[in-house]
Amino acid sequence: MGTKKISLTGIKPTGMPHLGNYLGAIKPALEMANSDDFEGYYFIADYHSLTTVHKAETLKEYIYEVAATWLALGLDPKKVTLYQQSHIPEIMEMNWITSCFTAKGLMNRAHAYKAIVQDNEERKRDSDHGVNMGTYTYPVLMASDILFLKSNVVPVGADQLQHIEIARDIASSFNYVYGDIFTLPEAKVQEGDLVPGLDGRKMSKSYDNHIPLFLPEKKLKKLINKIKTDSSEPSVPKNPEDSIIFDFYKLFATKEQIVDLDAWFRRGIGWGEAKLELFNVINDHLKGPREIYNELMADKSKIDKILEEGAARVRPKAQEFLIEVKKSIGVL
Ligand code: ADP
Ligand code: TRP
């Protein structure tokens, strides 16, 4: 491994990744992996999806969609290891060990679990309605994903910060007893806010307010046209700061394009025109990757091979470290 730091991140296969996933996690992770300071390990967190996706065919398709997304957006499998979580059974062994160093109270305080409980209470249902143990202990598995490869840095969106803190807590509890076995990971969060969704809340598959990355052009245009706007006439000057269209535009446009559109807003722009500008800038960015994505999805054997190679690279490291961990707790 040399002196390079380990950068690791995972994406749950719960549907085609969206612009928020790209800007918040995938893009920064790829930039990091392309620098000489890091060795990248990026994976498809399929066992995390099993907490909610209970249709085999659907899960399988989602796994390919996430793998194809990484590859289409520029992950070079020779440089960066791409793998599927469930291909590494050692993570599950690690998961039991880490769970024995996780205070139950830590799980009670996890945001995602708390949000479900709150929702249940608001709907006057049993507070644990729909919560399986996978959902409840989700952060332990995530900690295991991170710790088993001695990850130094975890590029994620800001909504995942608590999970990284939990991984650090679990690692510290273990290390307190057995010495410096686990590496404490650090989160690397993209500057700026979470990418907003079509309704202005955080873009998320769960809110159905997202723009999937590789929609066919026509569908992308249709979705962008659905962004809600007021009824002001084209000639009325508009404040770009108040517009979600402009927010999105800034994520993809060059500095000059941003200055130009800013001026156009202030002079008065029609919402149809603004949406077309937005469509063009996003589409220009995604046209190339979309072609690669469609090719990979049409012949999945290439993805299978890359994931197999990924597992073959990761498992020996996992096995070696697991021996160290098992020796430290006294079972070996
Ligand atoms: P979703 O909320 O749509 O289910 P995931 O939980 O699968 O998304 O997120 C995968 C990665 O993308 C995580 O690192 C997460 O922090 C990041 N991410 C998700 N939504 C956003 C967003 N709106 N803005 C920035 N990053 C995001
Ligand atoms: N929980 C992350 C998400 O919802 C996915 C994930 C699973 C992950 N294991 C991970 C991210 C390990 C970073 C590191 O987006």
Side-chain angles (χ1 to χ4, degrees):
M1 269 183 218
T3 53
K4 287 191 180 187
K5 288 190 168 180
I6 305 279
S7 157
L8 170 140
T9 199
I11 304 240
K12 250 183 321 180
T14 46
M16 185 192 282
H18 53 73
L19 291 181
N21 300 143
Y22 172 51
L23 296 164
I26 300 174
K27 192 164 175 252
L30 290 175
E31 277 164 7
M32 208 179 265
N34 285 333
S35 87
D36 286 334
D37 303 333
F38 291 97
E39 199 170 307
Y41 290 88
Y42 299 149
F43 70 96
I44 301 144
D46 53 352
Y47 274 156
H48 276 108
S49 291
L50 191 60
T51 60
T52 54
V53 182
H54 291 173
K55 260 200 181 136
E57 283 314 309
T58 308
L59 182 57
K60 192 168 243 165
E61 190 67 8
Y62 287 167
I63 291 168
Y64 281 119
E65 286 181 356
V66 173
T69 298
W70 277 113
L71 294 164
L73 291 171
L75 183 147
D76 173 359
K78 285 194 212 75
K79 252 182 115 177
V80 175
T81 304
L82 180 69
Y83 62 97
Q84 187 174 328
Q85 181 187 39
S86 64
H87 290 179
I88 320 292
E90 289 77 14
I91 297 175
M92 296 303 128
E93 235 179 303
M94 193 64 98
N95 193 50
W96 177 255
I97 299 173
T98 48
S99 73
C100 295
F101 292 83
T102 307
K104 177 172 173 282
L106 203 57
M107 298 297 97
N108 293 339
R109 291 191 290 277
H111 297 323
Y113 168 67
K114 274 173 64 179
I116 302 174
V117 170
Q118 193 185 339
D119 185 53
N120 280 334
E121 282 167 359
E122 278 165 13
R123 291 167 195 254
K124 309 245 177 290
R125 291 196 294 230
D126 181 85
S127 59
D128 275 332
H129 174 86
V131 180
N132 57 49
M133 283 308 286
T135 306
Y136 185 62
T137 61
Y138 184 109
V140 186
L141 180 55
M142 182 154 162
S144 308
D145 289 331
I146 295 171
L147 298 176
F148 92 101
L149 261 180
K150 306 185 192 176
S151 313
N152 301 102
V153 185
V154 186
V156 279
D159 58 330
Q160 295 296 312
L161 271 176
Q162 189 198 28
H163 286 150
I164 315 295
E165 276 308 312
I166 292 176
R168 289 174 67 92
D169 280 353
I170 296 173
S172 303
S173 302
F174 186 95
N175 287 356
Y176 182 74
V177 182
Y178 300 106
D180 264 347
I181 305 285
F182 286 130
T183 302
L184 264 54
E186 267 170 44
K188 168 89 171 59
V189 175
Q190 191 64 352
E191 269 175 47
D193 298 329
L194 287 164
V195 175
L198 293 170
D199 58 0
R201 291 189 289 173
K202 167 205 144 156
M203 183 178 288
S204 171
K205 276 162 279 182
S206 353
Y207 297 152
D208 201 18
N209 63 354
H210 59 295
I211 304 184
L213 278 166
F214 301 120
L215 283 182
E217 262 181 39
K218 271 193 187 151
K219 286 201 171 154
L220 177 63
K221 200 176 232 170
K222 236 175 130 178
L223 206 55
I224 290 175
N225 278 331
K226 271 183 20 195
I227 298 177
K228 284 207 181 73
T229 46
D230 60 29
S231 53
S232 56
E233 293 292 318
S235 56
V236 176
K238 297 176 175 66
N239 183 358
E241 311 298 327
D242 293 340
S243 164
I244 187 164
I245 298 178
F246 195 73
D247 284 344
F248 276 130
Y249 191 79
K250 283 194 289 194
L251 297 170
F252 290 93
T254 61
K255 278 204 183 91
E256 292 80 48
Q257 286 175 316
I258 295 172
V259 171
D260 288 350
L261 194 71
D262 185 292
W264 194 357
F265 261 74
R266 291 176 201 281
R267 280 199 309 275
I269 189 170
W271 288 125
E273 291 166 319
K275 286 175 181 176
L276 186 61
E277 290 300 311
L278 176 62
F279 164 76
N280 285 336
V281 83
I282 296 183
N283 196 45
D284 281 351
H285 206 86
L286 294 179
K287 221 183 305 179
R290 188 193 292 129
E291 268 172 39
I292 304 174
Y293 178 88
N294 288 337
E295 272 168 33
L296 287 163
M297 290 301 284
D299 173 13
K300 298 182 171 110
S301 61
K302 203 169 164 192
I303 301 178
D304 288 333
K305 191 159 169 284
I306 291 169
L307 293 177
E308 245 170 66
E309 284 168 3
R313 267 189 248 162
V314 170
R315 285 198 69 190
K317 291 184 200 299
Q319 282 157 0
E320 195 186 312
F321 185 44
L322 200 52
I323 290 175
E324 190 184 334
V325 172
K326 285 163 90 170
K327 279 188 178 156
S328 71
I329 60 175
V331 297
L332 261 192

